């Protein structure tokens, strides 16, 4: 394989292709001698749309085929939305770069209402996220919350044909697709917490591929990595399940200290457990906030008795 060629495995969705091409463009700018090509692949997470992500195995399904392509040598790296990456990677892979984070908030999207609070009683809201479902139930227990799958365009089309009164998407995804005008309001920290790593783009490589890692690491943003490492440490300490109704948001103070907020929700009754703490080490802080959530009864919430 030519040392001047990098092949990027990516999902075929328009947003995934945008993110992969964004990484390719950044790599070409950083390394003028480099040729970068995309390898679009279909994943099980993209193909099975008639069931919820939780029912078919979680967001990790968006990664498997891409990781196989890297392991088999058909691709040198893969580009992911970091929120889709499980807290624990297979040891043969590593996240060689995490790009500077965009807006981490969720977006309230509706053709008729300007905010979540303006929705009429019993309105139907679409989301595929257990985290978003739990926070919706906590804030508006009267709403009908229905599963919503598909890429960004598909989800917006379902809203536009009247299947939902509103849908919840990621601000970053809409803005990357040039659809920021569809955002009616932001659902943002500290009241509303995003998924761990939301709005950050991750580059995954083989852990032993020094050539590719050396090329890719120029894209790594140190501040973003520190924040998302803290959020992912909380996710890992809580079990590392991508389908868990867990929100996390880490901010970095002027003195470099970390402030991590965590939220665990009940998708049935809208009960929310919240905890936050400050510290300097991402892993230690993630575990501290996990302990605070567990002390409030997180185990019982995640594994309710029959």
């Amino acid at each position: 394989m030519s040392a001047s060629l990098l092949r990027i495995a990516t999902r075929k969705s328009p947003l995934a292709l945008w993110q992969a091409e964004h990484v390719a463009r950044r790599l070409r700018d950083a390394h003028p001698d480099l040729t970068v090509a995309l390898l679009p692949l279909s994943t099980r997470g993209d193909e099975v749309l008639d069931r919820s992500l939780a029912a078919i195995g979680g967001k990790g399904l968006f990664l498997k085929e891409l990781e196989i392509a890297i392991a088999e040598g058909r691709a040198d790296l893969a580009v992911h939305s970091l929120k889709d990456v499980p807290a624990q990677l297979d040891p043969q892979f590593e996240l060689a770069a995490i790009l500077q984070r965009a807006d981490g908030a969720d977006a309230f999207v509706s053709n008729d209402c300007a905010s979540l609070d303006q929705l009429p009683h019993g309105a139907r809201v679409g989301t595929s996220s257990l985290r978003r479902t739990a926070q919706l139930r906590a804030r508006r227990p009267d709403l009908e919350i229905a599963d919503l799958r598909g890429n960004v365009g598909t989800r917006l089309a379902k809203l536009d044909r009247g299947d939902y009164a509103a849908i919840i998407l990621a601000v970053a995804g809409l803005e990357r697709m040039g659809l920021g005008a569809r955002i009616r309001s932001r659902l943002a920290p500290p009241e509303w917490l995003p998924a761990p790593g939301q709005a950050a783009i991750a580059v995954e490589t083989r852990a032993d591929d020094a050539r590719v890692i050396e090329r890719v690491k120029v894209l790594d943003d140190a501040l973003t990595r520190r924040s998302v490492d803290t959020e992912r440490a909380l996710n890992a300490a809580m079990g590392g399940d991508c389908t868990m109704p867990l929100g996390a948001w880490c901010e970095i103070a002027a003195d470099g200290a970390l402030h991590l907020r965590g939220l665990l929700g009940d998708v049935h009754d809208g009960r929310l457990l919240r905890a936050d703490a400050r510290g300097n080490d991402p892993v230690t802080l993630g575990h501290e906030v996990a302990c605070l959530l567990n002390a409030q009864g997180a185990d019982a919430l995640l594994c309710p008795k029959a």
Side-chain angles (χ1 to χ4, degrees):
M1 179 58 58
S2 169
S4 62
L5 173 64
L6 287 182
R7 299 157 300 168
I8 300 177
T10 174
R11 295 163 57 198
K12 293 181 178 180
S13 76
L15 178 57
L17 290 170
W18 184 97
Q19 294 179 161
E21 185 53 49
H22 176 70
V23 168
R25 204 161 44 242
R26 292 280 306 275
L27 286 170
R28 294 183 192 112
D29 289 344
H31 307 290
D33 65 317
L34 198 61
T35 298
V36 185
L38 302 191
L39 176 66
L41 298 170
S42 181
T43 72
R44 180 166 169 76
D46 295 306
E47 294 166 354
V48 181
L49 298 176
D50 59 347
R51 283 169 283 168
S52 70
L53 281 174
I56 62 174
K59 294 178 181 178
L61 293 175
F62 291 126
L63 277 71
K64 192 62 178 177
E65 284 81 2
L66 278 58
E67 290 182 333
I68 290 172
I70 297 174
E72 292 179 348
R74 291 182 286 121
D76 302 295
L77 58 124
V79 173
H80 310 295
S81 294
L82 183 58
K83 68 183 178 64
D84 294 338
V85 179
Q88 301 291 349
L89 280 184
D90 184 307
Q92 70 178 305
F93 303 108
E94 75 170 70
L95 298 181
I98 298 174
L99 279 65
Q100 183 176 8
R101 190 180 216 163
D103 189 332
D106 278 337
F108 174 84
V109 183
S110 174
N111 292 323
D112 303 310
C113 300
S115 70
L116 180 59
D117 294 332
Q118 290 184 13
L119 284 173
H121 184 90
R124 192 168 196 251
V125 179
T127 177
S128 62
S129 161
L130 297 182
R131 171 189 58 82
R132 290 169 179 159
T133 295
Q135 293 183 91
L136 284 168
R137 291 207 188 284
R139 187 152 155 184
R140 287 289 305 271
D142 61 292
L143 296 176
E144 177 192 352
I145 302 172
D147 195 52
L148 175 64
R149 297 288 313 283
N151 61 41
V152 172
T154 298
R155 298 185 192 198
L156 289 171
K158 291 179 179 180
L159 170 71
D160 291 342
R161 74 185 185 208
D163 293 355
Y164 307 90
I167 61 177
I168 311 298
L169 300 172
V171 166
L174 286 166
E175 292 184 338
R176 285 167 180 158
M177 296 300 296
L179 296 167
R182 297 300 301 263
I183 301 169
R184 300 298 301 274
S185 58
R186 294 168 69 254
L187 300 167
E191 292 81 11
W192 181 286
L193 296 191
Q198 184 161 310
I201 297 172
V203 180
E204 184 180 21
T205 67
R206 290 197 311 276
D208 62 354
D209 196 336
R211 175 187 75 93
V212 175
I213 292 171
E214 180 63 27
R215 292 285 201 167
V216 165
K217 69 181 184 180
V218 67
L219 304 185
D220 194 62
D221 183 79
L223 291 178
T224 295
R225 182 177 283 271
R226 194 156 181 254
S227 291
V228 299
D229 279 354
T230 308
E231 296 165 13
R232 286 170 57 78
L234 169 59
N235 191 13
M238 295 301 297
D241 185 351
C242 280
T243 66
M244 185 182 295
L246 176 73
W249 182 250
C250 181
E251 295 176 295
I252 302 178
D255 63 357
L258 301 164
H259 182 194
L260 175 63
R261 293 180 173 91
L263 172 153
L264 188 69
D266 189 318
V267 298
H268 302 294
D269 65 15
R271 182 162 58 104
L272 298 180
L273 307 179
R274 293 179 181 269
D276 74 289
R278 300 173 188 268
N280 292 297
D281 178 71
V283 173
T284 301
L285 186 56
H287 279 261
E288 181 179 351
V289 173
C291 288
L292 292 171
L293 290 171
N294 285 327
Q296 296 178 51
D299 289 344
L301 190 152
L302 291 171
C303 304
K305 295 180 180 179

